[in-house]
Amino acid sequence: MEVIKTIEAMKGFSFQARRAGKTIAFVPTMGFFHEGHLSLMREGRRRGDLLIVSLFVNPTQFAPHEDLKNYPRDFERDCKMAEEVGTDILFAPEVDEMYPSDHQTHVQVEKVTQNLCGRSRPTHFRGVTTVVMMLFELVTPHVTIFGEKDYQQLVTIRQMVRDLHMSVEVVGMPTVREADGLAMSSRNTYLLPEERKAARSLYRSLQRARELLQTGEQRASRILDEMNGILRSERLIRTDYVQICDAATLQDVDRVEGGVVVALAAYLGKTRLIDNLVYRKL
Ligand code: AMP
């Protein structure tokens, strides 16, 4: 595996790779890898002649009061893990090169970014789409792999790719979980032992939603009431939102008729975690 740190070297590599007729698979990340990241990389390895992983803690997707400064980092460990799953290039650019001081262009996907996380993080998705657009330009991937764990992000990236007629295939991968169901996240390392225990209720509430949906419950309010009951019984959980939305538009639904995403965000202490369940009736 080669580590590339400059934009010029990254562009040079992808230009040559394309010229040699290679298929480029790309996994963008913010590092501090866990099995969720690795599952995306393995899928990329399978789909491309070359696997490029980016590691960039993107400042523009963090609001000033958020955890940019404390975001967990371990470059040496990440290098080892990426190499073990067959990454060819780890692209780890510097913030100053990605965002020189006169940077002033952003990419904004309008509708699907408004609800859910967009309510409490109004500038977040603009930061995500801006950096992903830049990374696509530098890496020129044929295929890119994102996790369903960040479902709204996946929908937003798909929308951007469609709207801007970009030539990259976007693949979504299922959420990888800990043994007790907690969705893997780099942010789980922030959790104190008691908070980590309480966090199990996030997945429990989603499992309850799945049970209700599978037994034919269609009323969103009924499902949300039960989920909120489970979350409220855990005093360390402070819910940001629990919503049931159309899986494509991310607008709230009152009745579950087509495909939906049951999505939640909650604070455990200062740590904000998200999780979701995508449900499509058979
Ligand atoms: P991050 O480093 O948190 O920005 O995540 C990089 C990519 O990994 C994104 O596409 C995430 O959706 C994906 N990802 C994060 N956690 C998981 C997980 N538990 N399972 C599957 N994919 C994940």
Side-chain angles (χ1 to χ4, degrees), residues 21-219:
K22 304 281 190 203
T23 308
I24 302 175
F26 176 48
V27 178
T29 81
M30 299 207 300
F32 211 72
F33 296 147
H34 51 65
E35 273 300 318
H37 295 112
L38 299 185
S39 79
L40 271 50
M41 293 179 206
R42 290 191 191 101
E43 184 64 15
R45 179 68 284 163
R46 223 174 52 72
R47 287 175 178 262
D49 300 323
L50 287 168
L51 170 59
I52 302 181
V53 173
S54 66
L55 193 174
F56 182 64
V57 182
N58 173 37
T60 62
Q61 68 190 69
F62 291 79
H65 63 278
E66 291 179 350
D67 57 341
L68 173 63
K69 252 188 38 218
N70 300 326
Y71 197 81
R73 297 164 208 246
D74 190 339
F75 189 68
E76 294 306 314
R77 177 171 161 272
D78 284 350
C79 282
K80 267 200 208 119
M81 290 171 81
E83 182 155 31
E84 273 168 24
V85 293
T87 301
D88 295 295
I89 301 292
L90 186 67
F91 177 45
E94 296 293 338
V95 172
D96 294 349
E97 212 193 351
M98 290 292 274
Y99 295 103
S101 56
D102 65 341
H103 173 94
Q104 48 192 296
T105 303
H106 295 93
V107 180
Q108 170 90 52
V109 176
E110 300 283 350
K111 289 188 197 152
V112 293
T113 59
Q114 297 302 306
N115 201 359
L116 301 170
C117 287
R119 287 170 181 254
S120 41
R121 306 185 76 191
T123 58
H124 171 69
F125 290 108
R126 183 179 98 145
V128 170
T129 41
T130 299
V131 79
V132 169
M133 176 86 200
M134 287 186 201
L135 291 167
F136 283 179
E137 182 64 23
L138 303 176
V139 171
T140 64
H142 296 82
V143 56
T144 185
I145 301 107
F146 283 81
E148 279 186 0
K149 151 85 176 9
D150 300 274
Y151 186 78
Q152 189 172 17
Q153 170 173 280
L154 173 61
V155 169
T156 301
I157 298 296
R158 285 193 199 284
Q159 189 69 45
M160 173 181 83
V161 164
R162 251 198 322 275
D163 289 348
L164 301 181
H165 311 293
M166 299 168 87
S167 323
V168 56
E169 181 191 355
V170 181
V171 174
M173 291 291 288
T175 301
V176 178
R177 298 179 178 283
E178 302 287 357
D180 64 359
L182 178 66
M184 289 194 184
S185 163
S186 308
R187 291 191 166 98
N188 291 350
T189 52
Y190 298 143
L191 299 173
L192 302 172
E194 282 305 295
E195 294 168 346
R196 172 63 187 82
K197 240 186 186 169
R200 290 185 295 196
S201 291
L202 304 180
Y203 182 58
R204 280 201 194 124
S205 73
L206 291 171
Q207 275 181 310
R208 182 66 189 133
R210 189 198 302 279
E211 280 170 18
L212 290 166
L213 286 163
Q214 280 170 345
T215 55
E217 180 59 72
Q218 288 189 301
R219 290 163 297 180

